[in-house]
Amino acid sequence: MTKIAITGYASLDHVAILNGAPEAGRTTTILRRPGDAWPRLGGSPAYVAAALVASGVPDAFPICWVGEDAEGADYRMRLARGKIPEAGVVASAGLRTPMAVLGYEPDGGCICLYDPGSMEDLDFSEPQRGLLATSDWTCITIGPRLATETALTIVGQETRLAWVVKHDPRAMPISLAARIAERGDLIITSKAERAFLDEAMATATSLRPGLIVIETQGGSGALLRRDGKETFVGTPIIDVGDPTGAGDTFAGGVLAALVKGECNPAEILMAGHRAAAALLSARRDAEKENSAQ
């Protein structure tokens, strides 16, 4: 059974649909708070792991940190409810469980306020190190800088490495991003963060043979580059006011396809699209049901 470790920040997400763009000195009205999203299980490790589990890859371990508080217990309960392994989650009395408030504007833009709930010098516990050392794949998402640096020293040469890109210079300076790019077998970026990835790849000393780079392009589709060849696969637009986690869910679907041995670029992209579409379709249906009530 393939074991996958996914490093990064935990989060309990609080999602709100707004009536306009927030401005200083003016009240912005919350039009709606989705019933399952105040809070909702969030953070990149949980979304990636959930997509893997849903795609038939059960040994997907979020490697993250929560507090010894009610919110931390809630986070772990939500993992268990989704049949996502909890062994990589560390609860500490010295931390607050991370939370995010995501406000969606009418044009689809998102205001994200994130409370990491902890100091930035977090590093892995021995059980977390053990999971990283014995994983077949390690997936790095945005997380504490020290922990990300440590992950690169723990991952064995035979372990395959995936990176879900997020441009956050505080946690991911370009020097660290370049090191991950050098080691990566799979890199997934959004179109908006492509320039950051390009800088990291240009800074890297070398790149691994066969590196797969995927650029998601919102509702239009995604582009896969490997060995100088490009494949684009479009995806139907799913009209939903709350797309939180779609990119990380896409990444989990892609990773599941690769774990299962898929080599066809179009099929790899379709696996990501199917995972994201399942998430968004469920949200859309819930929105319609709530509107009808």
Side-chain angles (χ1 to χ4, degrees):
M1 190 74 72
T2 302
K3 181 189 293 184
I4 304 172
I6 308 130
T7 70
Y9 288 122
S11 180
L12 284 175
D13 291 348
H14 299 72
V15 177
I17 310 302
L18 308 178
N19 74 329
E23 296 179 16
R26 182 178 69 83
T27 298
T28 300
T29 300
I30 294 176
L31 298 177
R32 182 168 51 84
R33 298 188 309 189
D36 69 334
W38 202 271
R40 174 196 290 151
L41 180 66
S44 295
Y47 275 114
V48 173
L52 282 160
V53 171
S55 300
V57 183
D59 289 342
F61 295 84
I63 309 293
C64 55
W65 304 261
V66 297
E68 285 187 352
D69 49 22
E71 292 77 15
D74 187 18
Y75 179 89
R76 297 171 77 174
M77 178 271 291
R78 291 171 187 270
L79 286 180
R81 186 185 296 166
K83 299 182 180 180
I84 301 170
E86 303 173 61
V89 180
V90 168
S92 171
L95 309 178
R96 297 187 311 277
T97 295
M99 293 187 181
V101 177
L102 300 108
Y104 282 96
E105 302 169 344
D107 66 357
C110 180
I111 304 297
C112 179
L113 304 176
Y114 183 65
D115 174 13
S118 63
M119 302 297 291
E120 288 302 304
D121 59 353
L122 282 173
D123 206 347
F124 300 116
S125 67
E126 286 307 312
Q128 287 176 321
R129 288 170 179 262
L131 284 169
L132 284 165
T134 57
S135 64
D136 301 289
W137 276 86
T138 289
C139 178
I140 292 176
T141 72
I142 197 67
R145 176 176 175 176
L146 177 59
T148 301
E149 292 172 344
T150 300
L152 290 175
T153 69
I154 295 175
V155 172
Q157 286 302 309
E158 299 304 314
T159 302
R160 301 189 72 185
L161 185 72
W163 177 27
V164 181
V165 176
K166 192 161 200 65
H167 187 192
D168 181 351
R170 172 184 54 86
M172 184 67 66
I174 197 66
S175 58
L176 179 55
R179 288 178 58 198
I180 301 172
E182 290 173 0
R183 182 60 181 77
D185 297 284
L186 167 68
I187 300 175
I188 300 176
T189 183
S190 67
K191 185 176 182 179
E193 291 166 320
R194 179 67 208 221
F196 172 68
L197 174 60
D198 287 343
E199 183 181 358
M201 293 176 70
T203 305
T205 302
S206 62
L207 301 174
R208 287 168 76 90
L211 169 65
I212 297 172
V213 178
I214 296 175
E215 178 185 308
T216 58
Q217 299 180 355
S220 62
L223 178 70
L224 184 150
R225 296 181 176 92
R226 180 172 62 186
D227 296 330
K229 299 179 181 179
E230 295 187 351
T231 302
F232 178 84
V233 174
T235 185
I237 295 176
I238 299 175
D239 187 15
V240 62
D242 172 18
T244 309
D248 292 320
T249 300
F250 173 91
V254 164
L255 193 48
L258 292 172
V259 165
K260 294 177 180 180
E262 183 60 68
C263 297
N264 183 300
E267 290 300 322
I268 292 169
L269 291 175
M270 283 302 303
H273 288 326
R274 283 192 296 270
L279 176 79
L280 297 179
S281 295
R283 296 242 182 99
R284 178 197 57 198
D285 294 345
E287 288 179 3
K288 289 181 178 179
E289 182 177 342
N290 291 335
S291 297
Q293 292 177 355

